[in-house]
Amino acid sequence: MKKERNNSSWCCDQIEELIKNYKISIQETENQDIKRQLEIVVNDLENILYS
């Protein structure tokens, strides 16, 4: 069964929402390892979305 992709605009909106939520989590967590992982994920998502 072939999967179809969602509307690209909808996908971009979802990625932007994830980035926003992850940035909030970075500010709220005290665990440096988790912060670093979230920063990496945010950076990767921003590169995918805006590059």
Side-chain angles (χ1 to χ4, degrees):
M1 180 167 102
K2 185 177 179 180
K3 292 184 180 182
E4 293 189 27
R5 292 185 179 190
N6 287 322
N7 175 301
S8 60
S9 151
W10 179 86
C11 290
C12 290
D13 291 343
Q14 297 301 307
I15 293 171
E16 285 182 330
E17 189 66 26
L18 282 173
I19 291 169
K20 183 179 95 177
N21 290 337
Y22 289 155
K23 285 182 175 182
I24 291 169
S25 294
I26 289 169
Q27 298 299 316
E28 291 177 348
T29 188
E30 295 181 12
N31 185 312
Q32 293 303 312
D33 292 331
I34 292 174
K35 277 187 179 187
R36 182 66 189 129
Q37 290 298 315
L38 286 169
E39 289 168 347
I40 291 168
V41 170
V42 165
N43 188 46
D44 288 346
L45 290 173
E46 288 178 334
N47 284 335
I48 290 168
L49 191 59
Y50 303 120
S51 295

